[in-house]
């Protein structure tokens, strides 16, 4: 399992990766419960799906001008890039 950003994780599966979100709950055995966002064939696809999902989530509440929406997209891109950079520096 790889923590990506916020409460998003990349889980390995037999066909590649699953993008999952931590629901903030645990099952009766104390294991975290995740919702599946989507299945991906590669880690790069997982990152792409993450970016689309986070952008969608952030833009769904409200009305934005194009410049504002583009700023949200750029901020998400930079947030993911920073997470990747921090991981590779450890």
């Amino acid at each position: 399992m790889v923590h990506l950003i916020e409460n998003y994780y990349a889980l390995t599966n037999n066909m590649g990766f699953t993008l999952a979100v931590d629901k903030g709950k645990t099952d009766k055995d104390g294991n975290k419960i995740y919702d599946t966002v989507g299945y991906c064939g590669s880690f790069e696809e997982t990152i792409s799906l993450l970016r689309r999902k986070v952008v969608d989530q952030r833009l769904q509440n409200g009305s934005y001008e194009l410049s504002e929406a583009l700023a949200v997209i750029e901020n998400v891109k930079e947030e993911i890039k920073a997470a990747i950079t921090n991981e590779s520096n450890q």
Side-chain angles (χ1 to χ4, degrees):
M1 173 183 340
V2 178
H3 177 246
L4 301 171
I5 62 171
E6 299 171 359
N7 55 344
Y8 289 94
Y9 293 84
L11 311 174
T12 59
N13 62 49
N14 61 346
M15 299 296 287
F17 295 89
T18 302
L19 179 60
V21 62
D22 183 349
K23 293 178 67 173
K25 299 177 183 178
T26 56
D27 64 14
K28 63 181 178 180
D29 297 322
N31 300 313
K32 288 186 175 185
I33 298 174
Y34 298 93
D35 274 344
T36 298
V37 175
Y39 300 99
C40 303
S42 70
F43 193 72
E44 291 79 10
E45 289 175 24
T46 307
I47 297 301
S48 179
L49 178 57
L50 169 69
R51 187 186 63 196
R52 289 193 318 266
K53 179 66 177 173
V54 172
V55 167
D56 289 347
Q57 179 184 11
R58 292 187 183 172
L59 290 177
Q60 71 180 333
N61 297 324
S63 178
Y64 298 89
E65 294 295 325
L66 178 57
S67 61
E68 295 170 323
L70 292 174
V72 169
I73 293 168
E74 186 63 29
N75 289 340
V76 169
K77 180 177 147 185
E78 290 301 317
E79 186 178 344
I80 293 170
K81 185 177 177 180
I84 291 169
T85 302
N86 288 339
E87 283 295 322
S88 64
N89 288 338
Q90 292 183 0

